[in-house]
């Protein structure tokens, strides 16, 4: 556990030792450099995460990502807990990248960042970093929409119809 501003290591810079301070409070989740040696400017040395808030980076196919907006609600499933975690889209990358699929097909993707609310009740702190989860992002909603099984709908004239039960009788709608 580290506190923002706490000295977490020293680096030798411009012929003197300079303390490297934690940029935020949290938990050290990964140490990239275990021993002494040259370090380039911008090279990661240590990773600090907030254990009370989960950040998930999703790589969506670009055509799918274009309908996602910051603020869209999302759910994180398959994280190891009994229930889905509520989340919100916090950031959408402005730059896509090309990645090979499992079948070797080049696909253009876009990174979408999701955040859980502060102090998530399912204690996401045990999840850690660099794990695989599944997500569901809500991109649209229609209040008071009636959903029926596809097999119950059929073509009727120029439109579509189904049967509904009313007073014990099947009526065409």
């Amino acid at each position: 556990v580290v506190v923002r501003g706490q000295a977490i290591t020293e680096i030798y810079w411009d012929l003197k030792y300079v303390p490297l301070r934690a940029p935020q409070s949290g938990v050290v989740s990964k140490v990239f450099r275990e021993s002494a040696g040259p370090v380039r400017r911008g090279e990661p040395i240590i990773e600090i995460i907030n254990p009370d808030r989960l950040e998930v980076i999703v790589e969506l196919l670009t055509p799918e990502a274009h309908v996602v907006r910051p603020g869209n609600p999302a759910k994180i499933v398959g994280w190891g807990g009994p229930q889905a975690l509520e989340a919100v889209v916090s950031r959408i990358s402005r730059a896509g990248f090309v990645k090979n699929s499992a079948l070797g097909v080049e696909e253009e993707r876009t990174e979408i960042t999701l955040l859980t609310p502060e102090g998530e009740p399912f204690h996401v702190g045990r999840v850690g970093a660099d794990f695989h989860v599944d997500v569901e992002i809500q991109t649209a909603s229609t209040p008071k929409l009636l959903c029926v099984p596809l097999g119950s709908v059929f073509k009727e004239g120029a439109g579509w119809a189904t049967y509904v039960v009313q007073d014990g009788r099947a009526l065409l709608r």
Side-chain angles (χ1 to χ4, degrees):
V1 176
V2 296
V3 179
R4 181 185 176 129
Q6 174 184 346
I8 50 177
T9 190
E10 288 186 333
I11 58 172
Y12 192 68
W13 194 262
D14 290 336
L15 304 176
K16 63 182 176 208
Y17 284 98
V18 179
L20 183 63
R21 303 197 176 276
Q24 68 179 25
S25 297
V27 175
V28 174
S29 65
K30 189 183 289 186
V31 177
F32 293 96
R33 176 66 69 115
E34 295 270 349
S35 59
V39 177
R40 289 188 292 256
R41 186 181 299 264
E43 180 181 342
I45 299 171
I46 197 167
E47 181 178 83
I48 300 169
I49 63 169
N50 178 348
D52 295 327
R53 193 161 203 196
L54 184 63
E55 178 182 79
V56 175
I57 298 174
V58 182
E59 295 177 356
L60 285 183
L61 292 173
T62 299
E64 294 174 352
H66 92 285
V67 297
V68 177
R69 302 282 179 263
N72 282 145
K75 291 185 183 209
I76 301 167
V77 294
W79 64 278
Q83 294 178 286
L85 296 173
E86 299 296 324
V88 67
V89 174
S90 65
R91 188 173 57 246
I92 300 169
S93 174
R94 299 256 179 205
F97 60 95
V98 176
K99 184 175 184 178
N100 285 334
S101 72
L103 298 174
V105 177
E106 283 189 349
E107 300 172 329
E108 188 172 323
R109 297 182 173 261
T110 302
E111 283 189 351
I112 309 288
T113 304
L114 308 177
L115 281 177
T116 60
E118 193 78 39
E120 176 62 51
F122 301 112
H123 191 62
V124 297
R126 65 183 174 181
V127 175
D130 296 331
F131 286 91
H132 173 85
V133 296
D134 294 319
V135 300
E136 300 168 0
I137 301 173
Q138 181 180 324
T139 58
S141 67
T142 305
K144 298 183 180 178
L145 177 70
L146 176 63
C147 294
V148 296
L150 183 60
S152 70
V153 180
F154 54 90
K155 196 82 165 141
E156 175 71 19
W160 293 90
T162 189
Y163 284 100
V164 295
V165 177
Q166 190 171 16
D167 297 326
R169 296 183 59 139
L171 300 174
L172 182 66
R173 275 246 171 105

